[in-house]
Amino acid sequence: MKFAVFSLLMNIPNAVTGETWTTQMKFQNVLNLAILAERLGYEAFGIGERHGAPFLSSSPPVILTAIAAKTKRIRLLTTVTVLSVLDPVRVAEDYATLDHLSEGRLELIIGKGNDPRHYPLFGVAEAEQWESLAERYALLKRLWNEENITWQGRYRPPLDNVTTQPRPYQQPIPVWHGSASSTFSTELAARYGEPIFSSNTFHPQAKYKALIDHYRERLAYYGHDPARAVVGAGSGGLFLANTDEEAIARYRPYYDAHRATAAAQHNRSPFKDLEDNIANGPILVGSPERVIEKILSYHKAYGHQVLSINVDGLPVAEQKEQLERFAAEVAPVLRKEIRSGVWDGARPLLRA
């Protein structure tokens, strides 16, 4: 199994001390996290896209470019690029530029996002999100793969003999499809024979497993080998300690603080408290042995080759502690237990 650290740059007061971070402090923090993740051997670092408090991640290509300048090896992911509201020409230009500046370490995860606040900001009706996503992605693929494009659609002005610049460094830039709530995303991924990344954050395993199963079924329908499907999955929060009891006690204030935000409440997670989430949801809280056991049980259901973790909302010292403990005590066991060819060699294995 391979591992990624994801961040939405959530900036809320420290749940224990009440300490607040300035925006500048939070940006410096995420740069330091990426440097640490690379040093600890994580394969990828991802920045999500949100357009409202408490998140500061409205410009993933800018943040990832800063990270690219401070790292050498780690893959750079968008988690997700909210393509349903973005201009594909702007996306093609921005991310091709980042692809060059990172020397080919970029991978996009596209999706419609799970925060409805971005629709009025960009003039897209929420009811049109799936049609918008499909149209914009078809155009983005053409912009990266073709030159002198003439195009007409519903969600942006027509194009006449257009070639975007710069051309991508990678041929092609790898694209994953974010999967959280609808078979539309898994259908789109299967049609193109591209990998999916399951949110696996707010709901019980069965919901996400049904979407992953649908993806594999539709891969076969479109003539791709489902046995070669590439799947990533999230994991909610992370907190490791010597015992389950210690992990629960230390993590509870941070869990409750995040759960109280409007953004978290929008997702309507069914778990009544932290213990319920630990028992019936994807959150990784407990001893290293307990967390390994849980990840293996989820892998049995999903068959995923990449796992993402996040430490948003924790103080700096505990962010560092969690990334270090996971890298030393959890990741080596899972790398041995679960084979993953993703990101091996000069080119990532992504095509299903």
Side-chain angles (χ1 to χ4, degrees):
M1 181 171 275
K2 302 295 174 60
F3 300 98
V5 178
F6 286 179
S7 176
L8 287 166
L9 280 82
M10 181 176 69
N11 195 19
I12 60 177
N14 184 298
V16 175
T17 67
E19 177 188 8
T20 59
W21 286 2
T22 66
T23 297
Q24 174 60 208
M25 290 168 65
K26 188 61 182 178
F27 279 123
Q28 293 302 318
N29 171 248
V30 81
L31 295 178
N32 291 334
L33 279 183
I35 294 167
L36 176 63
E38 179 171 81
R39 180 172 65 79
L40 293 173
Y42 290 91
E43 283 84 6
F45 195 91
I47 296 294
E49 181 177 340
R50 291 290 188 276
H51 295 275
F55 307 107
L56 301 175
S57 54
S58 58
S59 301
V62 177
I63 300 169
L64 288 171
T65 298
I67 291 172
K70 291 181 175 292
T71 57
K72 298 294 184 183
R73 173 195 55 81
I74 202 164
R75 301 294 295 179
L76 305 174
L77 276 61
T78 65
T79 59
V80 300
T81 294
V82 187
L83 190 58
S84 57
V85 300
L86 302 178
D87 179 1
V89 173
R90 182 79 265 180
V91 171
E93 294 170 339
D94 284 349
Y95 284 107
T97 301
L98 169 54
D99 195 35
H100 277 275
L101 293 174
S102 67
E103 298 183 315
R105 290 186 280 144
L106 169 67
E107 303 191 12
L108 249 63
I109 304 179
I110 65 163
K112 55 90 179 173
N114 71 346
D115 187 337
R117 291 178 293 178
H118 50 240
Y119 295 110
L121 285 176
F122 294 94
V124 176
E126 189 170 357
E128 299 176 316
Q129 58 188 323
W130 299 116
E131 293 82 1
S132 175
L133 176 63
E135 178 184 294
R136 293 170 196 262
Y137 184 48
L139 176 56
L140 177 62
K141 287 185 72 69
R142 288 194 63 192
L143 290 169
W144 274 344
N145 295 328
E146 303 175 30
E147 300 182 359
N148 305 315
I149 294 172
T150 297
W151 174 92
Q152 185 168 352
R154 181 178 178 185
Y155 294 103
R156 63 144 293 127
L159 301 175
D160 182 23
N161 196 34
V162 169
T163 301
T164 56
Q165 297 292 341
R167 308 306 296 153
Y169 181 90
Q170 298 177 92
Q171 298 293 334
I173 294 175
V175 175
W176 304 63
H177 295 249
S179 171
S181 61
S182 171
T183 57
F184 188 96
S185 290
T186 49
E187 182 78 18
L188 194 66
R191 185 192 315 164
Y192 286 110
E194 294 170 337
I196 64 168
F197 215 107
S198 174
S199 169
N200 193 45
T201 304
F202 298 105
H203 296 278
Q205 184 184 96
K207 175 178 180 177
Y208 301 114
K209 183 179 186 304
L211 291 169
I212 294 169
D213 289 346
H214 175 263
Y215 166 64
R216 288 193 169 95
E217 291 166 4
R218 299 307 287 173
L219 277 174
Y221 173 84
Y222 287 109
H224 306 288
D225 182 1
R228 298 186 60 204
V230 176
V231 177
S235 57
L238 168 73
F239 206 96
L240 298 165
N242 293 335
T243 67
D244 296 344
E245 294 76 15
E246 180 191 353
I248 292 169
R250 290 177 61 191
Y251 187 62
R252 188 185 305 280
Y254 307 111
Y255 177 82
D256 290 344
H258 173 250
R259 193 177 179 211
T261 64
Q265 291 176 1
H266 165 75
N267 290 286
R268 298 187 179 93
S269 180
F271 308 119
K272 64 180 185 292
D273 54 28
L274 177 56
E275 284 81 359
D276 187 21
N277 197 326
I278 293 170
N280 301 300
I283 200 165
L284 302 175
V285 176
S287 67
E289 295 77 17
R290 178 63 63 86
V291 166
I292 289 168
E293 179 184 3
K294 186 169 192 177
I295 294 171
L296 289 173
S297 73
Y298 268 75
H299 177 263
K300 185 176 180 180
Y302 297 168
H304 54 303
Q305 302 99 322
V306 177
L307 176 74
S308 73
I309 60 172
N310 80 80
V311 292
D312 276 0
L314 299 179
V316 172
E318 290 183 311
Q319 288 179 333
K320 183 173 184 288
E321 174 194 0
Q322 293 306 310
L323 292 186
E324 288 177 343
R325 289 201 70 163
F326 190 92
E329 301 175 50
V330 176
V333 176
L334 295 170
R335 286 194 176 104
K336 183 177 179 180
E337 290 286 331
I338 301 169
R339 182 186 175 277
S340 174
V342 178
W343 302 318
D344 284 349
R347 294 287 302 162
L349 175 61
L350 288 174
R351 301 292 292 187

